[in-house]
Amino acid sequence: MRFHEDYSRICAFVSQRAVFANSVRPATLVISDGKIQEISYDTGEDVVRYLSQKYPGIPFNDCGSLVLMPGIIDSHVHVNEPGRTEWEGFHTATRAAAAGGVTTIADMPLNSIPPTTTLDNLKAKAREACAKIFVDVAFWGGVIPGNQHELRSLIDAGVVGFKCFLCPSGVDEFPHVSVDDVRETLSELLPTKTVLAFHAEYERNEKTNRLTGKPELYDTFLRARPDLMELDAVKLICDWCIKYNFRCHIVHLSSAECLTLVNDTKARGAPLTVETCYHYLTLAAEEIPAGSTEFKCCPPIRGKSNREQLWHGVKSGTIDMIVSDHSPCVPELKTRGNFLTAWGGISSLQFGLPLVWTAARMRNIPFSDVSKLLSSQPARLCGLEDRKGDLSVGMDADFVIWNPEESIKIEKGDIHHKNKLTPYEGKVLFGKVIATVLRGRFVFKEGKICDKPTGRLLLNANILQTIETR
């Protein structure tokens, strides 16, 4: 393994295990001005000699047998800045991303104050982010009751899509939408190519989540968020997707009972995509200790059998991608010992690759499929597939270089996101991130994050100009 500090205009990366869309093979990638300029499917002396003659002085970053994969695209991250920066901010979130092989995050529209529901609010968030980010950052817009007239301006600014809630979001400034709100929103968005993402829980009966029981037991909380809440929501979303033939996306699917309906909807040609999260694929309700509220999230983590069915959905393609739903908060909001009052959110942005790989390797899921789930499919969801998520000529030179055979132990001192509470502390996982490369430059290498933020805001030029000229 030999990495260079030389950040010249042109360089090469060499790996015996480069991950392409349908294969893993030796390759040498030439990088120029942050893009993949050419690829040789060889790593031998002849290639080195040829490239050295073609590009005199070109430095070679030799990864040896380490896996070189497209950088991870985490399309579901709550950064919370401005307004709740004590929960998480762009500086800490993107440092954690860089340490985890994530080269692009898409920030969700809520938990910041103000939420990303107007153009002015997007500008406020982008101004906070622009000088702090270690990886690239895209933004989701939000749909709340009454803001449909704001959506076109957010599309023009470059948001990757919109998110709404079919049940209370947990924060007052981002109220959930009604069925009529969704219909109005879809009518407004129909002429566009954007996507509408749904928090897919729907309460037919307001008493659904008012069950009693011992608050320190996870089962008490689990019974308050039954599979039926997700199934009812997914039925509505599938109906809208079919009726309007409009791109709809289901975020953080937790209930495997929805998979048949999702599969049937896709089979009818509807433009539906679905994500699930690291925690639903690696944790199980039966294993959650009493009082351990760091495991609480919405929708909830369900049982072992449900987890295996979700993996079946991943392997069959019914589930399109795996993301973090990184949703941290200050420790006191986790109200230790009370699952009914604790904030629902899990912190995992930094550890997605080893979490997924540790489980995937036991299920014979190859590197190419892992890359598809973590990189190319999230890039496609966000409209970034022309520059992110794939090793091909013309794409951004965004890579994660990692060792699938080496294990790590998650310890608090190694966590880069702001609040360190996570259900994964102490876990031993396979898949150590060795380096993260953003547009041909190292942003993380052998345990250290680069000193200077070099990430970019993935917004349209018109809004970037208004931010930069202030």
Side-chain angles (χ1 to χ4, degrees):
M1 177 177 62
R2 187 171 72 251
F3 297 145
H4 288 265
E5 295 292 344
D6 186 353
Y7 288 149
S8 54
R9 277 185 62 252
I10 195 161
C11 65
F13 285 81
V14 183
S15 174
Q16 301 303 315
R17 292 192 285 183
V19 180
F20 297 94
N22 297 303
S23 65
V24 179
R25 57 192 301 184
T28 301
L29 290 78
V30 176
I31 312 306
S32 178
D33 292 329
K35 300 282 187 178
I36 301 174
Q37 179 166 310
E38 63 178 281
I39 301 173
S40 296
Y41 297 104
D42 194 356
T43 59
E45 292 182 3
D46 289 345
V47 171
V48 173
R49 188 180 306 110
Y50 161 75
L51 292 176
S52 296
Q53 292 172 349
K54 186 175 182 180
Y55 308 105
I58 183 173
F60 288 83
N61 294 287
D62 189 355
C63 304
S65 62
L66 296 174
V67 172
L68 188 150
M69 196 169 83
I72 295 167
I73 315 293
D74 193 337
S75 55
H76 193 144
V77 178
H78 294 270
V79 177
N80 308 334
E81 186 176 13
R84 290 190 175 95
T85 311
E86 68 275 14
W87 294 19
E88 186 70 279
F90 286 103
H91 181 83
T92 48
T94 57
R95 282 174 62 87
V102 179
T103 51
T104 301
I105 65 170
D107 174 62
M108 279 293 168
L110 71 156
N111 297 348
S112 58
I113 302 174
T116 317
T117 51
T118 70
L119 180 59
D120 285 343
N121 292 358
L122 173 63
K123 289 179 179 179
K125 182 175 283 193
R127 280 193 293 271
E128 290 286 342
C130 64
K132 301 175 181 176
I133 53 177
F134 289 80
V135 301
D136 287 356
V137 176
F139 298 91
W140 287 89
V143 172
I144 60 174
N147 83 322
Q148 285 77 12
H149 63 286
E150 297 278 357
L151 305 184
R152 295 292 188 95
S153 64
L154 286 166
I155 292 173
D156 291 342
V159 298
V160 300
F162 296 92
K163 181 184 181 181
C164 65
F165 276 70
L166 297 179
C167 68
S169 72
V171 292
D172 293 339
E173 65 276 0
F174 202 95
H176 67 292
V177 293
S178 67
V179 170
D180 288 340
D181 291 327
V182 173
R183 290 173 180 148
E184 185 178 344
T185 298
L186 288 169
S187 296
E188 177 70 20
L189 296 180
L190 201 56
T192 75
K193 295 181 180 180
T194 192
V195 59
L196 183 58
F198 295 84
H199 180 116
E201 290 181 289
Y202 183 68
E203 298 180 74
R204 289 191 295 181
N205 185 338
E206 291 184 359
K207 295 181 179 180
T208 300
N209 62 356
R210 296 181 183 176
L211 298 178
T212 58
K214 293 181 179 180
E216 70 273 17
L217 298 181
Y218 183 76
D219 186 63
T220 301
F221 168 65
L222 183 59
R223 288 186 290 111
R225 314 287 290 213
D227 295 83
L228 183 62
M229 285 182 66
E230 277 194 88
L231 190 59
D232 282 345
V234 170
K235 285 177 180 176
L236 286 171
I237 296 161
C238 289
D239 287 345
W240 290 324
C241 193
I242 292 169
K243 178 180 178 180
Y244 290 89
N245 192 32
F246 185 82
R247 288 177 64 207
C248 294
H249 179 69
I250 296 170
V251 300
H252 51 48
L253 185 77
S254 82
S255 174
E257 290 192 14
C258 302
L259 292 176
T260 298
L261 182 57
V262 167
N263 197 50
D264 291 346
T265 302
K266 288 185 171 189
R268 295 179 64 174
L272 179 69
T273 52
V274 179
E275 71 186 35
T276 192
C277 300
Y278 313 145
H279 37 279
Y280 302 129
L281 294 173
T282 61
L283 304 174
E286 298 92 331
E287 299 167 354
I288 297 176
S292 297
T293 51
E294 62 270 26
F295 288 84
K296 180 181 177 180
C297 59
C298 297
I301 296 159
R302 304 191 189 276
K304 292 179 181 179
S305 174
N306 181 87
R307 180 178 65 190
E308 293 312 308
Q309 291 176 66
L310 288 178
W311 272 112
H312 180 75
V314 168
K315 294 177 75 171
S316 69
T318 303
I319 294 173
D320 300 276
M321 65 201 75
I322 308 172
V323 299
S324 70
D325 187 13
H326 179 71
S327 185
C329 68
V330 291
E332 50 266 34
L333 287 180
K334 276 294 187 181
T335 52
R336 179 77 181 176
N338 191 326
F339 280 106
L340 299 183
T341 59
W343 173 260
I346 286 179
S347 298
S348 59
L349 174 59
Q350 186 176 334
F351 302 110
L353 179 55
L355 284 166
V356 170
W357 174 242
T358 299
R361 67 194 289 271
M362 295 188 297
R363 294 168 172 85
N364 298 314
I365 296 175
F367 295 137
S368 292
D369 286 354
V370 170
S371 181
K372 177 182 177 182
L373 292 161
L374 297 181
S375 301
S376 64
Q377 290 286 66
R380 186 171 292 109
L381 170 70
C382 295
L384 302 173
E385 68 273 20
D386 62 334
R387 48 185 156 157
K388 306 282 188 185
D390 184 38
L391 300 185
S392 58
V393 172
M395 302 291 277
D396 286 355
D398 297 352
F399 314 136
V400 54
I401 299 165
W402 60 291
N403 188 339
E405 287 81 37
E406 188 172 353
S407 65
I408 64 167
K409 183 177 182 180
I410 298 179
E411 297 179 309
K412 191 163 290 186
D414 297 325
I415 296 174
H416 290 280
H417 54 77
K418 181 168 289 186
N419 292 291
K420 315 302 183 185
L421 188 65
T422 174
Y424 302 115
E425 185 179 355
K427 284 191 176 294
V428 176
L429 304 170
F430 282 95
K432 182 177 181 178
V433 175
I434 306 299
T436 306
V437 177
L438 183 67
R439 284 184 296 277
R441 293 174 174 251
F442 289 100
V443 292
F444 174 82
K445 183 168 60 175
E446 296 174 327
K448 295 182 179 180
I449 298 171
C450 69
D451 294 331
K452 183 181 177 182
T454 58
R456 296 178 183 174
L457 300 179
L458 303 182
L459 292 169
N460 291 340
N462 58 336
I463 190 172
L464 289 176
Q465 185 175 15
T466 64
I467 292 165
E468 293 166 356
T469 55
R470 283 181 63 90

